Amino acid sequence: IPKGAISMAETVISWGPRSAWSGVAQPGSFGAQGETGVVATLLDGLGLATVIAAPNGSAALSRAFEARLGLALPSAPGILRGPAHDIIWAGPDQWLLRAASREGFAGLLHEFAAHAAVSDQTDARAMLRLTGPRVREVLAKGVMIDLHYAAFAVGDGALTNVAYVAIHLWRLEDTPEGAVFEITVPRSMAGSFWSWFVASASEFGCRVAPGRG
């Protein structure tokens, strides 16, 4: 190689998969010291896809989901959970299909593509789970809907905005730590959402952990 020249080996760039939260959020703690008010789990390694029924095809699509996954498609904002898959209402005649593992997910989507418009969103969304005794107080700073337990029950969901960022959230079964909410945001807006979250959760103290669905 001539002096001063750069070999091809030196110019090769290796690309690999990265978490939607990479470079945005990391495990640890921030905010007030003492009792943790909020726990944020950065969800990764899941499969996610949008499923849109053909005109007048929702009933047939729901039957296909029941036959394959044992889950009917929800007809109102919310989430239905199964052993390995969740189905989340995402608008009239459209849903999110979430898989606990990406293994075999592409094949599953191919099956449903015979009944609907299916688009793999696995790497297009950032997902996290929030819980803790102060979680509702944090979300109330930005979420423009009532998340009180009497108004937003376990299994309910909503499409809304936080700090001009479109989000999709739903409520899961409570744990000893408190109410549990999950949120998805467009991957390109994960940084903006996280900036709002850090500013909103700091006064209560937050622990950030990695995890899966």
Side-chain angles (χ1 to χ4, degrees):
I1 301 175
K3 184 177 180 180
I6 300 176
S7 70
M8 182 173 293
E10 292 175 312
T11 61
V12 172
I13 299 175
S14 177
W15 297 93
R18 299 176 61 195
S19 165
W21 296 109
S22 179
V24 175
Q26 59 185 7
S29 297
F30 64 83
Q33 303 298 306
E35 182 180 356
T36 298
V38 186
V39 178
T41 303
L42 309 175
L43 301 179
D44 198 18
L46 309 175
L48 190 70
T50 56
V51 180
I52 304 176
N56 302 313
S58 293
L61 180 61
S62 187
R63 289 193 294 270
F65 267 79
E66 287 188 81
R68 182 65 174 81
L69 301 178
L71 294 170
L73 297 174
S75 58
I79 178 172
L80 289 179
R81 306 201 73 188
H85 297 87
D86 304 323
I87 303 175
I88 305 119
W89 184 93
D93 297 326
Q94 56 186 296
W95 299 266
L96 287 178
L97 171 62
R98 184 171 67 170
S101 172
R102 298 183 184 184
E103 184 176 352
F105 192 56
L108 180 64
L109 298 186
H110 181 74
E111 292 181 40
F112 288 128
H115 305 277
V118 179
S119 177
D120 192 333
Q121 299 290 313
T122 297
D123 296 312
R125 310 282 182 97
M127 292 182 281
L128 78 162
R129 180 180 297 132
L130 300 177
T131 188
R134 312 301 291 271
V135 63
R136 282 193 176 89
E137 293 171 77
V138 173
L139 291 175
K141 295 182 179 184
V143 176
M144 296 180 288
I145 58 175
D146 187 356
L147 297 178
H148 187 272
Y149 69 90
F152 200 82
V154 171
D156 282 354
L159 296 164
T160 185
N161 293 276
V162 166
Y164 302 104
V165 177
I167 69 168
H168 193 171
L169 84 159
W170 49 87
R171 182 180 167 197
L172 301 184
E173 292 284 346
D174 295 354
T175 70
E177 293 181 304
V180 181
F181 298 90
E182 288 188 338
I183 295 176
T184 70
V185 301
R187 183 175 182 141
S188 60
M189 300 301 294
S192 296
F193 174 85
W194 191 252
S195 293
W196 168 85
F197 177 72
V198 169
S200 299
S202 289
E203 72 166 296
F204 305 115
C206 180
R207 175 168 57 86
V208 183
R212 299 178 67 91

